[in-house]
Amino acid sequence: MTHLATKVLLLGLVFLAVLPLAALPKAAYLGMSALLPGTGELALGKTNRGAVMLGVDVVAINAYLATGREKNDLTRSYKRYAQVYAGIPDGMPDRYYQRLQDYLSSDDFNQYQELMARNYYLIYTYDPDGYGEYTLANTYPDSEAWDWQSVVHQDRYRSLRRRTQTAKMYQSLSLGVILLNRAVSLIDVALISRDHSQ
């Protein structure tokens, strides 16, 4: 469990320890649930529901942080791997790393772009200036060239990229659970406090 997740759990236990609290305005319970799901329920005496929501939040925050670390580690790994086995320069944009995944070398990529430009600018529309501008803007110079040592190395790179995307997806799902848990807790506290006021 991460340090932050431990703090969240301890904060929830403090709320549990000080129950029952004096009556607070409805907005205070809602604010508690927005900051830390389950604490509004705990303050209103619904300990089981509060503990479940607090536990879900601890697990979701822990998962969010863990997948974030994994995503960052994998990103550094595939970038370093590409430097070693494809000879790429530092500081390239994300689109560049996608093209490394799709083309064995920058020469292959450049040849494809030139073929597409030739078909459009020299055959269909006959615009030599457009052809030159397109190829200049959409091909890589020698300073940004890459050339995978083998298909096996490129496949390994693809695998690292897929794992990075999976970690990114799980981090997004964890964030969704964190936000959903807050929304559910807010609705729950609003209903409980309405029943208490009647």
Side-chain angles (χ1 to χ4, degrees):
M1 186 179 294
T2 65
H3 187 61
L4 180 61
T6 304
K7 282 186 175 180
V8 169
L9 182 58
L10 289 175
L11 184 58
L13 293 174
V14 167
F15 274 106
L16 186 59
V18 299
L19 292 176
L21 296 175
L24 297 172
K26 181 177 179 179
Y29 299 118
L30 292 172
M32 291 162 66
S33 284
L35 289 174
L36 190 59
T39 53
E41 285 86 349
L42 292 173
L44 287 165
K46 302 295 184 180
T47 54
N48 289 340
R49 284 151 76 169
V52 167
M53 289 186 179
L54 186 60
V56 168
D57 210 52
V58 169
V59 171
I61 289 172
N62 194 48
Y64 178 82
L65 295 173
T67 52
R69 282 193 305 273
E70 182 183 9
K71 180 189 73 174
N72 292 338
D73 290 345
L74 286 166
T75 299
R76 283 191 294 271
S77 293
Y78 77 66
K79 287 183 177 182
R80 179 66 183 138
Y81 190 85
Q83 281 182 320
V84 172
Y85 294 105
I88 70 163
D90 285 324
M92 301 305 290
D94 288 342
R95 181 178 57 190
Y96 182 86
Y97 290 98
Q98 177 62 45
R99 288 172 176 166
L100 285 172
Q101 182 174 314
D102 297 334
Y103 294 88
L104 196 58
S105 70
S106 53
D107 285 344
D108 290 346
F109 175 81
N110 289 346
Q111 287 171 13
Y112 177 77
Q113 292 299 314
E114 289 166 3
L115 176 63
M116 297 293 289
R118 191 178 304 118
N119 287 340
Y120 182 77
Y121 290 104
L122 300 181
I123 296 175
Y124 295 117
T125 62
Y126 195 71
D127 179 5
D129 291 337
Y131 172 80
E133 289 171 7
Y134 180 89
T135 54
L136 184 63
N138 293 281
T139 57
Y140 289 102
D142 289 344
S143 61
E144 297 177 354
W146 75 88
D147 188 9
W148 286 106
Q149 292 182 12
S150 72
V151 175
V152 173
H153 289 100
Q154 188 185 30
D155 286 343
R156 169 68 177 150
Y157 171 80
R158 285 193 189 107
S159 175
L160 287 169
R161 290 266 299 175
R162 280 194 296 271
R163 287 172 57 197
T164 305
Q165 291 303 314
T166 300
K168 185 177 181 180
M169 181 187 69
Y170 284 137
Q171 187 183 35
S172 296
L173 288 173
S174 300
L175 179 60
V177 171
I178 290 168
L179 297 176
L180 179 62
N181 197 36
R182 277 158 177 73
V184 170
S185 185
L186 281 169
I187 294 168
D188 191 42
V189 164
L191 294 173
I192 295 169
S193 56
R194 184 189 65 184
D195 292 343
H196 278 218
S197 64
Q198 290 177 350

